[in-house]
Amino acid sequence: MKRRNFLGSIALGGSLLSNKEDKIQNPDSLPQSKDPAKNLFFEADMVVAGGGLGGCAAALAALRNGLSVILTEETDWLGGQLSQQGVPPDEHQWIETQGATQLYRDFRTAIRQYYINHYPLTDEARNRKHLNPGDGAVSRLCHEPRVAVAVLNDMFMPYISSGKLTLLIEHKAISADVDGNKVRSLEVVNVKTKTRSKLSAPYFVDATELGDLLPITGTEFVTGTESKSETNELHAPEKGNPENNQAFTVCFAIDYRPGEDHVIEKPVEYAFWKDFIPKMAKPWSGKLLDLSYSNPKTLEPKQLGFHPAGIKTGDMLNLWNYRRIISKDNFKPGTYAGDITIVNWPQNDYFLGNLIGASQKDFEKHANRAKQLSLSLLYWLQTEAPRPDGGKGWPEIRLRKDIMGTEDGLAKYPYVRESRRIKALFTIKEEHVGAENRAIAVANGAPGPKEKAANFHDSVGVGYYHIDLHPSSGGDNYIDFASLPFQIPLGALLPVRMENLLPANKNIGTTHITNGCYRLHPVEWSIGEAVGLLVKFAGEQGVAPRVVREDSGMLKGFQGFLKGEGVELGW
């Protein structure tokens, strides 16, 4: 076998990663191999499309229970929003002790241990119980994307070695063979070689970022906003709009090199973005490239601070510290000249178009314009952002291409906040989890105390995040309000018709509103883990997943199985 072919076969097997830039590609734009000799066939107990946190959790849950799994990932990095999208974990305040599965907490522990094992930490940082490498304000565990990739690869390695896991990186689903209410096989394409593969299994899991399997399998789904008449939600609009989705963001990493000049070439669209003022039904604070934004809760203009040395900026949040993934003070002197932070701010939210359901032309147009926005923000920070000394710009800021593993320094894939959502047997609405709407529901006769989210008899996990909707493509400003610690109902993971396709990302049965609190890292993981365990349980019982919910005895047995696997079912 030639060396080139040998390396290609290793990549199909699972662990070969590339440092080359990943292009954001729409499946319609991928040339297809028509040579049957180049087509491959794989078979397993479960196929998972999408290597984000939900997909990884689903695969790990099934693998540790003896199932064989095929896991595909469009980029060359596992980890989804945590890695290829460059977003440090958004988590709730109780994450260290409760409100997530044991496996998710084990993953977090392994992240910390990776730094302890491999990095020159200070003695204080090394001995800190809850080490936070970046000391970022957004999370109790802000870390580099590559560390998440390394830990996930380590977690999967025994299963790759034993042959239980087939990991197809740089593969994207393009079509499916469907017989009535069941998916028989999935066809994927290698985004580099264009080789097609057919994947067969009794169960298929859609853990893609945009719910890609739903349209190609004919699974019923919804997108965008529902009207108040449809959901009776307190914050729903009078008129729904399936094209109205939250902003997506192309993140990037920067560090601070005092005394150096790292100003990038002026972006092609800089003139546009420099003067861009968002047009929204409830007005934005002014120009997008500015150190002010709309307060998410009140929509009043709010001033932000910025200083790349990480020092205090009065009473204002220093954006540099918000998603900082490396704080040089946690490492021995000389390790880092400056901190490293991730830029995922209001200023680079892109809402001039959608990726969901976009044509090839529009997909590429909006993905590229979002990149131009992010590069324009960087150039603005380097050349025009106000300094405390009265000057303008911070040329000492350097784009860290290596952190994102791409040639242009931007994330391998956009941070997508919203996806296609299955039409589910049960849809989670604001009345179930929104603090204000829940109080109204209880006053009108809904069971339970108003201080707690609705109790779901079919709970398969828990989570928490406030309802946080970013500005949208339809002209909405922030929609941000309190929610309550909630459960994940099994009914929201079951499509109304399809029997062997399950969601494991932001594509579960929520509304546009409740998606705002079910879309974050630990909840996505919990959804995926529940799905992986459901496939195991339903397979052993010889029933379709929906039967597990319909049969009270079987549901009780499944929930007992979940608890035994370290899954919390209530707060």
Side-chain angles (χ1 to χ4, degrees), residues 313-331:
T313 51
D315 295 331
M316 299 175 293
L317 170 68
N318 184 350
L319 280 169
W320 182 269
N321 298 334
Y322 186 51
R323 295 186 186 273
R324 186 174 56 189
I325 57 173
I326 288 292
S327 172
K328 64 182 179 60
D329 294 338
N330 284 330
F331 302 85

Side-chain angles (χ1 to χ4, degrees), residues 48 50-61 63 71 78-80 103 152 156 207 525 528:
V48 181
L53 293 182
C56 286
L60 286 166
L63 288 164
L71 175 61
L78 294 173
L103 182 60
L152 287 169
F156 280 121
W525 183 289

